[in-house]
Amino acid sequence: MSAPTADRAVATGSDSSDTTQVVHGLAKKARTASRSLNGLTTADKNAALLAAADAIEAAADTILAANQRDLDRGAADGIEASLMDRLRLTPERVTGIANGLRQVAVLPDPIGEIVQGKTLPNGLQLRQVRVPLGVVGIVYEARPNVTVDAFGIAFKSGNAVLLRGSSSAADSNAELVRILREVLSANGITADAVALLPSESRTSVTALIQARGLVDVVIPRGGAGLIEAVVANATVPTIETGVGNCHVYVHALADLDVATRVVLNSKTRRPSVCNTAETVLVDAAVAADALPRITSVLQAQGVVIHGDETGMEPATEADWSEEYLSMDIAVKVVDGIDAAIAHIDTYGTGHTEAIVTADLAAADEFTRRVDAAAVMVNASTAFTDGEQFGFGAEIGISTQKLHARGPMGLPELTSTKWLVWGNGHVRPA
Amino acid sequence: MSAPTADRAVATGSDSSDTTQVVHGLAKKARTASRSLNGLTTADKNAALLAAADAIEAAADTILAANQRDLDRGAADGIEASLMDRLRLTPERVTGIANGLRQVAVLPDPIGEIVQGKTLPNGLQLRQVRVPLGVVGIVYEARPNVTVDAFGIAFKSGNAVLLRGSSSAADSNAELVRILREVLSANGITADAVALLPSESRTSVTALIQARGLVDVVIPRGGAGLIEAVVANATVPTIETGVGNCHVYVHALADLDVATRVVLNSKTRRPSVCNTAETVLVDAAVAADALPRITSVLQAQGVVIHGDETGMEPATEADWSEEYLSMDIAVKVVDGIDAAIAHIDTYGTGHTEAIVTADLAAADEFTRRVDAAAVMVNASTAFTDGEQFGFGAEIGISTQKLHARGPMGLPELTSTKWLVWGNGHVRPA
């Protein structure tokens, strides 16, 4: 069963200027919607989120049918098995999506928080108040659950959201957004608080990232190529996420049991995600002991080792930059902490960097000097994650320094404004 | 006396690809310098700032001589009187520049602040620590004092800074930067923490805003044209500053004495700065009383009124968008608070918006619904200012919603990183 086009908030532009008009039309509606979202109470928002969760579970059949159309099209197009798996919804996954909204409903509402405030010497009362960003655009890849997760986080933080998902998930996404819009309307909230953008071509991405004055921020979630294309061509502010060439440095004074355990978990827990370790830097002072222990445990788990030592796949310069996202890891022997930090400084992407050491001075120096969103001491890189950090929900992991750095939860989707109350105050010359 | 070229950290590129190379070379050095700045203590930084203040006062003669060369060139080029005034240094202004550094030295150091922290259920210790942004680029116009002010704020917050000033102030800026670099070296700090970029052409601006991976943020300070050009062409993150089409809304229940005082101060205190009011919105309910009172007081001070009422300069659509920055103001009669907010929503630049009212509900509604960096109740728009807000120093007023909004002090030139300390923690599957 296909949803009526009008309800899907998607039009199929016949050429790129049509698509641009469609995107900017939806962005204008989203901007208007965002003004009214700022007037909703936390109770209003939570009620809508819980109603959306119930509606998604109740509509599992139509969601799974839409998903099956995506899967059939994917099979006909011969897309690869891992992508098919990410695309596939099951009754359990639909329940998981609904439960994600319920989790967001119980999170604290960041809007209205007084970040700071004071009374100035002249009696003016100053408050810096947390407010929504306004209109948030998300560009993402295959998983249909991101459609609902992103809506939930954006909506709870008071933002309207424009979703540009993958064309491979077009039917699933359209059905999910149709349900979300229906629930908003039923709850007296403008349906334009969420809209799905056309996904047939890159034109809709370009239109979104150049909708200056209509869209407040665009967050690309996906591979390095997508993120680079978005950041390079955007005139709207963007937040870079998720590209992680993460390192584990095994220091001269590392406990080698800890080193082995941390490296193994950092690489093999989920090799396809951005916080996986891609290079191990082993201090020359312990290389003779550490290298065979670490590599044998990795190899026993099926990890391919790239490096300059015997028994490894010969490494080229490209291996130090490579974000494998697979059961591969590069290994390099480095001459002390300065060389380790210099290597990370050259090849790291500012995501997550770890040191294994029993030496306090080394831990201090590494955490101070390494420039990354997260710096671990004797802990797996896999901990860089909004849920692990206790945020309850995550819209992505920022690898830039402006606005937000590291896992982004609800407060990272907000801005602030200054309220200044007086009683006729004027400023002296 | 002209400073030696090498010390000025400026080269004069013979063509635009040379200039780009020069800028990127200075940016690379600044990036290296930024790594070492993060290791300085607050005491180290304050000592260098105080030494720089003393050095600037001691070198007043060479600074004034360099400034005279700029003034002579400006006179020969026939630049306008107001620009000449902004360019001109005097012994008192040199002392003012030095005192600005002394003020920054006594401000709290934002670096190293623990923004938040906790111990996770698994025992991992999490701290979010304030760190420098890294390399900050500032693009600005005539005033030579900005050269030193921007260095002071960037340096105290642990950043290296690339300064791209106006070619009209080239000699003054070069001499000031020469002194700053000399003081840094004398204090055992790398001189590359501050550098002046070539200013002969826009090429250096383009090179700066496209130095991705070398420069962490560029802040344009100047007119709307400069800011628009920077934001539209930048691949480095930017922070928009200072374009202010600010409104004062005189509500139906305004005290008209307060309204007159606030409008007069908002417009005439310093008409050339970004927080000046450019349009007065007068509620139709009080227009008969309010209009003659407000306009007569403004006209008595020499303000030209643009509007649709008799005795005004006829207004066109352009007047509602115009940032006059002069003794001009637009006046419009609006039909209630919704019309006032809709007008602001259409023409405002998100800088500062004010309401004059004795009615609490109207004040609440206006502050909640108006989307701007600062929203004033019964107070002059002139209060949007870092010094007035008690920040002690200001690098600009952000009119964007990402990262920083409103006056930016030291903390707004910082980022954060997460430190995660464990004792061999690995994440379960």
Side-chain angles (χ1 to χ4, degrees), chain B residues 170-229:
Chain B
D171 281 49
S172 309
N173 289 341
E175 178 61 8
L176 289 167
V177 170
R178 186 193 66 76
I179 294 165
L180 295 174
R181 290 172 61 90
E182 200 170 270
V183 168
L184 290 177
S185 290
N187 278 256
I189 299 168
T190 168
D192 294 325
V194 56
L196 186 65
L197 304 185
S199 58
E200 297 87 34
S201 74
R202 281 263 167 128
T203 306
S204 59
V205 176
T206 306
L208 176 67
I209 66 181
Q210 297 185 347
R212 241 169 97 70
L214 297 175
V215 175
D216 293 288
V217 61
V218 173
I219 303 174
R221 288 180 50 153
L226 167 69
I227 291 165
E228 187 60 35

Side-chain angles (χ1 to χ4, degrees), chain A residues 112-198:
Chain A
E113 182 198 345
I114 311 290
V115 178
Q116 55 178 313
K118 60 184 160 185
T119 302
L120 297 180
N122 62 9
L124 271 182
Q125 294 173 32
L126 224 65
R127 281 171 291 168
Q128 189 183 27
V129 182
R130 202 172 282 289
V131 298
L133 282 169
V135 178
V136 175
I138 317 273
V139 182
Y140 55 103
E141 292 176 346
R143 296 174 193 271
N145 64 302
V146 175
T147 304
V148 179
D149 289 353
F151 160 76
I153 295 173
F155 179 75
K156 178 73 180 250
S157 48
N159 299 290
V161 65
L162 296 172
L163 299 166
R164 203 292 192 174
S166 163
S167 58
S168 65
D171 280 46
S172 309
N173 289 340
E175 177 62 8
L176 289 167
V177 170
R178 186 193 66 76
I179 294 165
L180 294 174
R181 290 172 60 91
E182 199 170 272
V183 168
L184 289 177
S185 290
N187 278 256
I189 299 168
T190 167
D192 294 325
V194 57
L196 187 65
L197 305 185

Side-chain angles (χ1 to χ4, degrees), chain B residues 15-380:
Chain B
D15 64 20
S16 71
S17 109
D18 281 2
T19 300
T20 300
Q21 281 190 353
V22 167
V23 170
H24 289 180
L26 292 171
K28 275 183 200 129
K29 287 183 178 176
R31 185 169 190 263
T32 303
S34 75
R35 303 293 188 198
S36 66
L37 294 187
N38 197 17
L40 298 180
T41 64
T42 304
D44 293 336
K45 292 188 282 191
N46 290 346
L49 287 166
L50 295 175
D54 292 345
I56 283 171
E57 279 192 314
D61 286 352
T62 64
I63 294 167
L64 291 172
N67 185 245
Q68 190 59 50
R69 292 196 296 278
D70 287 333
L71 291 170
D72 291 346
R73 208 171 52 245
D77 294 350
I79 64 176
E80 56 179 305
S82 64
L83 187 62
M84 287 289 271
D85 180 60
R86 290 205 291 278
L87 189 54
R88 179 171 292 110
L89 293 178
T90 60
E92 294 70 33
R93 283 183 178 182
V94 171
T95 299
I97 289 172
N99 284 337
L101 290 177
R102 294 182 181 116
Q103 281 167 26
V104 171
V106 300
L107 291 177
D109 186 344
I111 301 306
E113 180 197 348
I114 312 289
V115 179
Q116 55 178 312
K118 60 185 161 183
T119 301
L120 298 179
N122 61 8
L124 272 182
Q125 294 172 31
L126 224 65
R127 280 172 290 168
Q128 188 181 28
V129 182
R130 200 171 285 290
V131 298
L133 282 169
V135 178
V136 175
I138 318 271
V139 182
Y140 55 103
E141 292 175 345
R143 295 174 194 272
N145 64 302
V146 174
T147 303
V148 179
D149 290 353
F151 159 76
I153 296 173
F155 179 76
K156 178 74 180 248
S157 48
N159 299 290
V161 65
L162 297 172
L163 300 166
R164 203 292 193 174
S166 164
S167 58
S168 64
D171 281 49
S172 309
N173 289 341
E175 178 61 8
L176 289 167
V177 170
R178 186 193 66 76
I179 294 165
L180 295 174
R181 290 172 61 90
E182 200 170 270
V183 168
L184 290 177
S185 290
N187 278 256
I189 299 168
T190 168
D192 294 325
V194 56
L196 186 65
L197 304 185
S199 58
E200 297 87 34
S201 74
R202 281 263 167 128
T203 306
S204 59
V205 176
T206 306
L208 176 67
I209 66 181
Q210 297 185 347
R212 241 169 97 70
L214 297 175
V215 175
D216 293 288
V217 61
V218 173
I219 303 174
R221 288 180 50 153
L226 167 69
I227 291 165
E228 187 60 35
V230 165
V231 172
N233 298 307
T235 56
V236 164
T238 58
I239 299 178
E240 290 184 59
T241 67
V243 176
N245 184 16
C246 307
H247 301 74
V248 179
Y249 167 47
V250 180
H251 179 251
L253 298 176
D255 176 324
L256 294 190
D257 285 337
V258 169
T260 306
R261 192 159 74 235
V262 165
V263 169
L264 185 69
N265 185 260
S266 297
K267 176 71 261 182
T268 63
R269 184 185 165 277
R270 273 183 66 193
S272 66
V273 298
C274 58
N275 60 25
T276 190
E278 304 293 13
T279 298
V280 185
L281 301 170
V282 178
D283 201 289
V286 287
D289 280 351
L291 271 183
R293 286 182 62 173
I294 292 171
T295 56
S296 63
V297 169
L298 286 168
Q299 283 165 331
Q301 297 292 321
V303 177
V304 177
I305 317 276
H306 303 257
D308 300 334
E309 316 299 316
T310 49
M312 302 178 179
E313 292 292 312
T316 66
E317 174 69 16
D319 282 291
W320 313 123
S321 304
E322 185 76 21
E323 195 189 7
Y324 297 114
L325 299 175
S326 60
M327 289 289 269
D328 293 81
I329 199 163
V331 172
K332 181 166 189 167
V333 175
V334 293
D335 203 10
I337 193 168
D338 283 341
I341 293 172
H343 183 97
I344 290 167
D345 203 28
T346 305
Y347 298 104
T349 54
H351 190 296
T352 301
E353 306 296 349
I355 183 173
V356 179
T357 186
D359 184 59
L360 180 57
D364 265 340
E365 186 172 359
F366 190 84
T367 52
R368 184 170 50 73
R369 287 176 55 194
V370 168
D371 189 21
V375 185
M376 307 285 173
V377 176
N378 298 326
S380 169

Side-chain angles (χ1 to χ4, degrees), chain A residues 40-313:
Chain A
L40 299 180
T41 64
T42 305
D44 293 336
K45 293 187 281 191
N46 290 347
L49 287 166
L50 295 175
D54 292 345
I56 283 170
E57 279 192 314
D61 286 352
T62 64
I63 294 167
L64 292 171
N67 185 245
Q68 190 59 50
R69 293 195 297 276
D70 287 332
L71 291 169
D72 291 347
R73 206 170 54 244
D77 294 349
I79 65 174
E80 58 180 304
S82 63
L83 187 63
M84 288 289 272
D85 179 60
R86 289 207 291 279
L87 190 54
R88 179 172 291 111
L89 294 177
T90 61
E92 293 69 32
R93 284 183 176 181
V94 171
T95 301
I97 288 172
N99 285 338
L101 290 176
R102 294 181 181 115
Q103 281 167 29
V104 171
V106 300
L107 290 177
D109 186 344
I111 301 306
E113 182 198 345
I114 311 290
V115 178
Q116 55 178 313
K118 60 184 160 185
T119 302
L120 297 180
N122 62 9
L124 271 182
Q125 294 173 32
L126 224 65
R127 281 171 291 168
Q128 189 183 27
V129 182
R130 202 172 282 289
V131 298
L133 282 169
V135 178
V136 175
I138 317 273
V139 182
Y140 55 103
E141 292 176 346
R143 296 174 193 271
N145 64 302
V146 175
T147 304
V148 179
D149 289 353
F151 160 76
I153 295 173
F155 179 75
K156 178 73 180 250
S157 48
N159 299 290
V161 65
L162 296 172
L163 299 166
R164 203 292 192 174
S166 163
S167 58
S168 65
D171 280 46
S172 309
N173 289 340
E175 177 62 8
L176 289 167
V177 170
R178 186 193 66 76
I179 294 165
L180 294 174
R181 290 172 60 91
E182 199 170 272
V183 168
L184 289 177
S185 290
N187 278 256
I189 299 168
T190 167
D192 294 325
V194 57
L196 187 65
L197 305 185
S199 57
E200 298 87 35
S201 75
R202 280 262 168 129
T203 306
S204 59
V205 177
T206 306
L208 176 67
I209 67 181
Q210 297 183 349
R212 240 171 96 72
L214 297 175
V215 176
D216 293 287
V217 61
V218 173
I219 303 174
R221 288 181 50 152
L226 167 68
I227 290 164
E228 188 58 36
V230 166
V231 172
N233 298 307
T235 55
V236 164
T238 58
I239 299 178
E240 290 184 59
T241 67
V243 175
N245 185 17
C246 307
H247 301 75
V248 179
Y249 167 46
V250 180
H251 178 250
L253 298 175
D255 176 324
L256 294 188
D257 286 338
V258 169
T260 307
R261 192 158 76 235
V262 165
V263 168
L264 185 69
N265 185 260
S266 297
K267 177 72 261 182
T268 64
R269 183 184 167 277
R270 273 183 67 193
S272 66
V273 298
C274 59
N275 60 26
T276 190
E278 305 292 14
T279 298
V280 185
L281 301 171
V282 179
D283 201 290
V286 287
D289 281 353
L291 270 183
R293 286 180 62 173
I294 292 171
T295 56
S296 63
V297 169
L298 286 168
Q299 283 167 332
Q301 297 291 322
V303 176
V304 177
I305 317 276
H306 303 257
D308 300 333
E309 315 298 317
T310 50
M312 301 179 177
E313 293 290 314

Side-chain angles (χ1 to χ4, degrees), chain A residues 106 169 224 334 421:
Chain A
V106 300
V334 292
W421 289 52

Side-chain angles (χ1 to χ4, degrees), chain A residues 35 133 345 367 370 378 417 424, chain B residues 35 345 367 370 378 417 424:
Chain A
R35 303 292 187 198
L133 282 169
D345 202 29
T367 52
V370 168
N378 298 323
K417 70 179 166 191
Chain B
R35 303 293 188 198
D345 203 28
T367 52
V370 168
N378 298 326
K417 70 179 166 190

